Amino acid sequence: VRLVETSYREMQGKHSSMAATDEEVRYLEQRWRLLPGEDQAVSFLLDDLLMAQGRLATEEFDFVSAQVAYTLSLAELKRATGTLLQSENIEMTRTCENGLPAIELEKRSP
């Protein structure tokens, strides 16, 4: 449960960071489009924009990684509490094949 809570908070933080970087990229794009001319100030602004876009790509990757960690922690919690099959609508049937016990798993329709 602690892992689920921690990974959720991390995912929220990564989302906030990604959103802030996205706002920075939009601001720099707007400034670059509105700035006239081809002088050195424009090239510095373009460099800032490209660097911000690189940071945004990194933030997006980190956010997706946090989402994966959160989803995995939820699955692990369900497995640990014995509710994973129920949450996925999987029915377990114990059978006997050739004198040996077997378990058949079947996904039910929702």
Side-chain angles (χ1 to χ4, degrees):
V1 172
R2 281 190 295 255
L3 182 59
V4 170
E5 292 170 350
T6 301
S7 60
Y8 183 75
R9 283 192 303 272
E10 181 180 354
M11 184 177 65
Q12 286 178 316
K14 296 292 183 183
H15 184 267
S16 296
S17 180
M18 181 184 70
T21 305
D22 186 48
E23 280 296 316
E24 178 187 11
V25 166
R26 280 195 246 160
Y27 169 75
L28 289 171
E29 280 178 349
Q30 185 178 17
R31 277 192 61 202
W32 180 71
R33 290 183 198 284
L34 295 176
L35 215 87
E38 304 250 343
D39 61 355
Q40 195 169 4
V42 174
S43 65
F44 285 134
L45 186 58
L46 181 58
D47 187 50
D48 288 346
L49 173 59
L50 293 172
M51 291 184 67
Q53 288 173 335
R55 285 192 308 276
L56 178 58
T58 300
E59 294 292 341
E60 288 171 342
F61 177 81
D62 290 345
F63 175 62
V64 169
S65 296
Q67 283 180 310
V68 169
Y70 175 67
T71 302
L72 290 174
S73 68
L74 280 175
E76 178 60 23
L77 176 63
K78 290 175 184 177
R79 187 199 63 76
T81 58
T83 60
L84 182 60
L85 296 178
Q86 291 170 344
S87 69
E88 295 298 321
N89 290 325
I90 296 175
E91 187 174 300
M92 182 174 71
T93 308
R94 295 181 188 273
T95 62
C96 187
E97 292 180 18
N98 299 325
L100 296 174
I103 297 175
E104 292 181 13
L105 301 175
E106 184 177 333
K107 182 141 178 109
R108 296 175 288 186
S109 349

